Amino acid sequence: MEGPLSPLVLWLLFWVQLCRGAAEVRLENGGGRCAGRVEVKQQGQWGTVCDDYWDIDDAEVVCRQLRCGDAVEAHGFAHFGQGSGPIWMFDVECDGTESALSDCTNKNMSQDYCVHIEDAGVTCSEYTGFRLVNGSTACDGRVEVQVLGTWGTLCDSHWHLLDAHVLCHHLGCGFAEAVPGGGRFGRGTGPTWRESFQCDGTEAQLGQCPVTALGASPCSHDRDAAVICSGDSGALRLVGGGSCCDGRVEIFQRGTWGRVLDDQWDVQEASVVCRQLRCGEAERAYNPPKPERGTGPVGLRGVRCTGHEPSLTLCNTSLPESALAAGIAEDVGVVCWGSRQARLVNGPGRCAGRVEIYYRGSWGTVCDEGWDLPDAAVVCQQLGCGGALEAVGSAGFGSGSGQIWLGSVSCSGAEAALWDCPAGSWGEPDCGHKEDAGVVCSEFVALRLENNDSCSGRLQVFYNGTWGSVCSNSMTPQTVSLACKELGCGDAISLDPFPTYGTLPGPAWLDRVECGERHSSFWQCPSAPWHPQSCTDLRDETHITCQGLCLLPRCPEGSLPSPDREKIRAVGGESGCWGRVEVWHRGSWGTVCDDSWDMLDAAVACRQLGCGPAVSALGGAAFGKGTGPIWLEQVECRGTEPSLQHCWARPGDSGSCRHKEDAAVNCSDATRGRPTSSRRESLLVITCIILGALLCLLLALLAGQAWSARAGHRASERAWEPFPEALYEEIGYSPALEKQGRFSISGSYSEGSLTKMQTHYEDIEEEDGPGSAPGTHLHPQRSAEAPGAEGDAWSPPQDSTGYDDAEEVSLAHGPEDTKAVTPELSAQQALSPGPAQPILAMQLGAARREESMYSHPIPLLLHFYTLLKPFHSLIPKQPLTNTTSCTMHFNHLYFQLYD
């Protein structure tokens, strides 16, 4: 028995290991069971998955394991918030075909290898099946969608050709030929889903298209949606383009899609393809560049068409090998006239933004010349966004890039598409991107909480151009939770009753919003149809409180910030106006990447912070690396937006940016009316530099003048060799007067010394008697004729200052006379010049005055001190130690020079 049982035991052990390896998986914090943070259960404990190498193939396996349909998006960087506990899986690499996440290859790493800010997430479509029922073939019939195991129908009022085109491709039935309504293929059973798909035709399956259901009207089975596809025999599709009518050509044969290769592909073959796909006439035939070529099997090699065939398979495809060998067969592509489409970008929602047109394989903008409401109405109607509320010009939603396709558009409002309107020539408008046109349509919707605090208050929705209330009837906790997540306020805390009686002052757009576990967005939840009076009693208004309440440090201060200000903060600086920029989104704080971060972006951030104008936009983690997710990349603000959330930006979960690239800002502090500390320090440094430079200039000037005076004195001695005993003195700078001044006033210059000096000079003038002879001059020297004799004292003329008008007279003395003349005696004597001396005295006096002005530092310092007085106003009045010490040091140095 043991021998035969041994292999059986081994097989049992093997299957036990397989069963044990299929670890349980769940999605958390995503608003439903089919979206959220990926968590796996191992060793009896739930843990997260690291986002390294996490991609759409890994997400596909998770969605399949949870029976949530196909994967729509693979998220990283804790997109659904940070988890807790262990991180069980690292470097997960699935090929997309596994039945469970634990079947994929992964590494067993240390817990330090990854942190919870790198938790992986998934968004699944929730649609687990699509089929066509009650048709004559497998490629036509009533559209039915399976949602979490339950089959139901769609309403034809929300079903469009692009949606049907994606479904036909997904089912392998070619392209959509028609979307008949009115229950053409009979009445269905089960629920009628209110979902409205908004496909652009390039999606691989319906689950990847954006979906809305909020405000949709109920629908009966008499209006079940249907489609007629072209069929799988010889079906074509275009891949890699920007629409369903341009791209590389593929053909469906024998149950698989194959490439079409040709060596002489031209517009004749392209015309057949475009006609077969119902895409109008061919605009261009081309061979894709090497990066865009296919890699799968070849379905058709060598085609020759006349251009009139209804199908590509009816062209000549039986070319001899010699014909194919003559050239190199390559992948082929087409651009059809029907590839033109419109979209709205850089706006706050799907139905508001800058108008862009896809034409000839590239997106371009529309010039606002003549742009008005009828033009906007055509765009809104074409996109299924209702009517036009506003025609926006002057790049109101930001400047685009690339080609400007249309200008001088003049629609009547009844056209089916914008390119059906009269306009100028394609690609030739005379304007720039600063004139890009935009629209706001009536179907544009938004959500807010009306209160002083952005995460608690009255729930309102924007619809048809106005804000209105959301009624609380049938409101579920799941609805409140999704509303909080949509607002970036984390999880819900409570649905608050409002006891006040009264009538609502404005519209109430929505009622009976009933979100369930399968919904991952507030906009996907079913509700009663849009109506301006969905409820009228104040007690029926929805008031909620979310987890994001008062997370900012200034929240408890008493005055709550504005809603936009609640979602941003500056971290790491000395104040709330200086530091690393962090924004609040999806219940957690995250940073902003510095890619393209500039002064326009900083200006918006400073405005949102409640600070003054931006001083600088900083990058490279200038205030240190942040933690948590990086919410925004490549922020492109115009500078006029009220908040960063209104600027164009890319989501920060691409992995291309790290925290070493965190953006920062330095704003002026508007609340205190003065620059921030960095600007004060800059002003201090500039002031000290100016004072220091001027002081150095003064010292250099003094040194130069002293050298010049010494050289001039030596030259004067050589020029007057016959008079070696000549004596030159000034009454304005006599050592005796200086000595007398020093002993006649208190020795400190710090207490009004300049005033005392001026008074001293005035006293000298007053000592001269009023009877002095006019026109004479006071000279502290002896007469040549009578050495030692004293002359009469006299006062200077009225227009003289007593210093600047002093003159020096050269007198010849013997050696003994020169020694006898002392400074003390010179200060008390005055002699009149002889009749032969006035001209020489005047000339020498003028020269000596000029030399005296720059030979001595006192007058120049007085003048320099007067020049520096205006710079005192540059020094901040607040007590700045460095500025004060700088000024005191200058004053001390000044008086040292004076002494």
Side-chain angles (χ1 to χ4, degrees):
M1 293 293 293
E2 183 177 353
L5 287 177
S6 296
L8 179 61
V9 171
L10 291 176
W11 276 107
L12 288 173
L13 290 175
F14 175 75
W15 283 109
V16 166
Q17 286 299 112
L18 287 180
C19 294
R20 291 183 60 188
E24 189 178 352
V25 178
R26 69 182 182 186
L27 299 178
E28 289 293 306
N29 203 37
R33 62 176 294 269
C34 291
R37 181 178 60 249
V38 180
E39 295 189 356
V40 295
K41 190 175 184 180
Q42 293 184 8
Q43 302 176 14
Q45 185 178 6
W46 287 100
T48 61
V49 177
C50 185
D51 65 359
D52 291 346
Y53 301 105
W54 187 254
D55 58 19
I56 195 68
D57 290 332
D58 309 323
E60 190 71 37
V61 174
V62 173
C63 294
R64 182 181 302 115
Q65 183 175 355
L66 294 173
R67 297 182 180 179
C68 285
D70 296 318
V72 175
E73 191 171 358
H75 304 280
F77 291 98
H79 182 79
F80 294 101
Q82 299 182 37
S84 59
I87 301 175
W88 286 127
M89 302 183 74
F90 305 86
D91 296 353
V92 178
E93 294 189 61
C94 305
D95 60 21
T97 62
E98 296 85 351
S99 59
L101 186 63
S102 54
D103 295 339
C104 303
T105 59
N106 65 93
K107 296 179 181 179
N108 186 14
M109 309 290 291
S110 168
Q111 292 292 312
D112 297 333
Y113 179 78
C114 194
V115 292
H116 282 296
I117 62 173
E118 300 174 84
D119 286 342
V122 165
T123 298
C124 305
S125 67
E126 305 171 1
Y127 305 104
T128 54
F130 302 92
R131 67 186 182 187
L132 298 178
V133 179
N134 208 28
S136 58
T137 69
C139 291
D140 62 345
R142 183 176 63 248
V143 179
E144 292 193 355
V145 179
Q146 187 184 41
V147 179
L148 300 180
T150 302
W151 287 98
T153 61
L154 297 176
C155 187
D156 64 2
S157 62
H158 309 309
W159 184 247
H160 306 287
L161 190 63
L162 288 177
D163 308 328
H165 187 78
V166 173
L167 179 60
C168 291
H169 274 194
H170 183 212
L171 297 176
C173 290
F175 58 91
E177 293 184 342
V179 283
R184 175 170 175 176
F185 293 97
R187 292 168 53 92
T189 58
T192 299
W193 308 121
R194 297 189 185 184
E195 277 83 348
S196 174
F197 295 92
Q198 283 113 30
C199 306
D200 61 20
T202 62
E203 296 84 358
Q205 47 97 5
L206 275 179
Q208 295 179 354
C209 302
V211 178
T212 60
L214 197 70
S217 302
C219 189
S220 68
H221 284 295
D222 293 331
R223 300 180 59 187
D224 287 342
V227 64
I228 299 175
C229 302
S230 62
D232 60 352
S233 178
L236 300 178
R237 71 177 181 182
L238 302 178
V239 297
S243 71
C244 60
C245 290
D246 73 305
R248 183 171 52 83
V249 182
E250 288 190 355
I251 188 169
F252 191 81
Q253 290 181 336
R254 296 180 292 276
T256 185
W257 287 100
R259 300 154 61 197
V260 176
L261 305 181
D262 193 37
D263 62 340
Q264 297 183 19
W265 185 258
D266 60 20
V267 72
Q268 291 178 324
E269 287 77 25
S271 297
V272 175
V273 172
C274 293
R275 187 180 305 111
Q276 183 177 347
L277 292 173
R278 304 291 197 276
C279 288
E281 296 298 323
E283 290 185 355
R284 184 164 63 97
Y286 69 98
N287 294 107
K290 188 173 182 179
E292 299 178 11
R293 295 174 187 171
T295 57
V298 176
L300 191 62
R301 182 190 299 269
V303 182
R304 296 293 183 272
C305 302
T306 64
H308 303 289
E309 295 85 351
S311 172
L312 192 65
T313 56
L314 297 178
C315 297
N316 184 9
T317 60
S318 302
L319 300 178
E321 292 294 333
S322 59
L324 294 176
I328 300 176
E330 297 179 326
D331 287 292
V332 298
V334 299
V335 176
C336 306
W337 185 253
S339 64
R340 291 178 300 175
Q341 55 182 312
R343 69 180 182 183
L344 300 178
V345 299
N346 205 31
R350 187 183 70 89
C351 292
R354 181 177 64 246
V355 179
E356 291 191 353
I357 297 176
Y358 188 78
Y359 178 64
R360 291 189 174 178
S362 64
W363 288 98
T365 61
V366 177
C367 182
D368 65 0
E369 184 180 0
W371 188 253
D372 55 17
L373 211 56
D375 307 326
V378 172
V379 174
C380 293
Q381 184 66 30
Q382 180 179 352
L383 295 174
C385 288
L389 297 177
E390 184 180 358
V392 181
S394 302
F397 289 103
S399 298
S401 59
Q403 185 70 46
I404 302 176
W405 284 127
L406 283 180
S408 301
V409 180
S410 180
C411 302
S412 66
E415 293 84 356
L418 187 62
W419 40 84
D420 294 334
C421 303
S425 299
W426 283 86
E428 299 179 2
D430 185 18
C431 61
H433 282 296
K434 64 181 180 180
E435 302 167 87
D436 286 342
V439 299
V440 177
C441 305
S442 61
E443 294 294 323
F444 163 61
V445 292
L447 206 63
R448 76 175 182 184
L449 287 173
E450 188 186 44
N451 201 345
N452 289 329
D453 170 25
S454 65
C455 290
S456 177
R458 180 173 60 185
L459 185 64
Q460 289 192 321
V461 63
F462 185 86
Y463 178 74
N464 200 29
T466 59
W467 287 98
S469 300
V470 178
C471 305
S472 60
N473 297 312
S474 303
M475 183 75 66
T476 63
Q478 185 72 13
T479 303
V480 179
S481 178
L482 288 178
C484 289
K485 285 182 171 60
E486 182 68 28
L487 292 164
C489 290
D491 290 325
I493 293 180
S494 63
L495 176 63
D496 306 324
F498 196 71
T500 305
Y501 291 88
T503 302
L504 287 172
W509 285 119
L510 285 175
D511 195 11
R512 302 191 180 279
V513 183
E514 300 176 2
C515 301
E517 289 188 358
R518 74 179 186 90
H519 301 114
S520 59
S521 168
F522 181 82
W523 309 112
Q524 296 177 2
C525 303
S527 70
W530 295 103
H531 194 278
Q533 294 182 338
S534 297
C535 58
T536 57
D537 197 324
L538 280 174
R539 293 173 298 174
D540 293 333
E541 275 192 322
T542 301
H543 292 255
I544 63 175
T545 299
C546 303
Q547 195 178 47
L549 177 64
C550 291
L551 289 182
L552 290 181
R554 57 178 174 268
C555 235
E557 300 289 333
S559 60
L560 293 174
S562 68
D564 283 332
R565 200 175 305 169
E566 177 84 11
K567 297 181 181 179
I568 191 172
R569 65 183 181 184
V571 179
E574 296 180 0
S575 69
C577 294
W578 185 26
R580 181 177 61 253
V581 177
E582 294 190 358
V583 294
W584 176 258
H585 182 60
R586 293 184 180 273
S588 63
W589 288 103
T591 60
V592 178
C593 186
D594 64 2
D595 292 346
S596 74
W597 183 256
D598 56 20
M599 285 297 291
L600 292 178
D601 310 322
V604 175
C606 290
R607 184 183 305 113
Q608 187 176 357
L609 285 166
C611 303
V615 177
S616 58
L618 309 173
F623 289 91
K625 297 179 181 179
T627 58
I630 300 175
W631 285 130
L632 296 175
E633 294 180 14
Q634 296 183 3
V635 179
E636 297 285 351
C637 298
R638 301 187 304 273
T640 59
E641 297 86 350
S643 68
L644 286 181
Q645 287 80 359
H646 289 82
C647 300
W648 185 92
R650 295 185 184 277
D653 56 1
S654 65
S656 61
C657 192
R658 299 294 179 181
H659 281 296
K660 66 181 180 180
E661 302 170 81
D662 285 341
V665 71
N666 182 13
C667 315
S668 58
D669 193 344
T671 58
R672 281 167 282 184
R674 61 175 183 266
T676 56
S677 58
S678 63
R679 294 191 66 188
R680 292 196 298 267
E681 292 175 2
S682 300
L683 187 58
L684 168 64
V685 172
I686 292 173
T687 303
C688 287
I689 289 175
I690 293 175
L691 294 177
L694 291 174
L695 186 59
C696 291
L697 181 63
L698 169 68
L699 293 176
L701 187 60
L702 290 176
Q705 292 299 335
W707 179 84
S708 177
R710 191 175 296 111
H713 183 67
R714 289 196 298 267
S716 176
E717 288 179 350
R718 288 193 300 269
W720 292 91
E721 287 296 335
F723 308 96
E725 296 86 4
L727 180 64
Y728 301 94
E729 289 186 9
E730 298 174 339
I731 190 172
Y733 184 69
S734 171
L737 293 179
E738 182 179 11
K739 183 175 182 181
Q740 181 181 352
R742 288 177 181 271
F743 288 99
S744 62
I745 58 177
S746 58
S748 175
Y749 285 99
S750 61
E751 297 178 3
S753 58
L754 298 179
T755 305
K756 293 179 181 181
M757 289 166 56
Q758 182 180 0
T759 305
H760 176 68
Y761 287 127
E762 292 173 358
D763 293 343
I764 295 176
E765 296 176 4
E766 291 173 2
E767 288 175 3
D768 300 328
S772 302
T776 60
H777 298 273
L778 184 63
H779 297 280
Q781 58 193 23
R782 271 189 241 188
S783 171
E785 292 82 8
E790 297 181 1
D792 297 332
W794 55 277
S795 61
Q798 293 182 357
D799 59 348
S800 173
T801 60
Y803 175 79
D804 291 336
D805 294 338
E807 296 179 358
E808 295 80 15
V809 179
S810 177
L811 299 176
H813 300 286
E816 67 281 359
D817 295 334
T818 304
K819 295 178 181 178
V821 179
T822 63
E824 290 82 359
L825 184 59
S826 300
Q828 300 174 3
Q829 292 178 340
L831 299 176
S832 300
Q837 296 174 336
I839 296 178
L840 177 61
M842 292 174 62
Q843 293 174 346
L844 292 177
R848 194 62 177 169
R849 280 198 306 271
E850 182 177 358
E851 180 181 340
S852 171
M853 178 66 181
Y854 297 100
S855 300
H856 302 289
I858 294 178
L860 189 58
L861 276 174
L862 287 173
H863 183 63
F864 178 69
Y865 189 80
T866 304
L867 290 176
L868 286 182
K869 289 184 70 177
F871 288 101
H872 286 280
S873 61
L874 294 178
I875 303 175
K877 302 305 179 184
Q878 60 268 21
L880 295 176
T881 306
N882 294 337
T883 306
T884 306
S885 61
C886 178
T887 307
M888 292 177 61
H889 177 72
F890 169 75
N891 290 339
H892 177 68
L893 181 60
Y894 167 81
F895 286 117
Q896 279 186 335
L897 289 173
Y898 187 94
D899 289 339

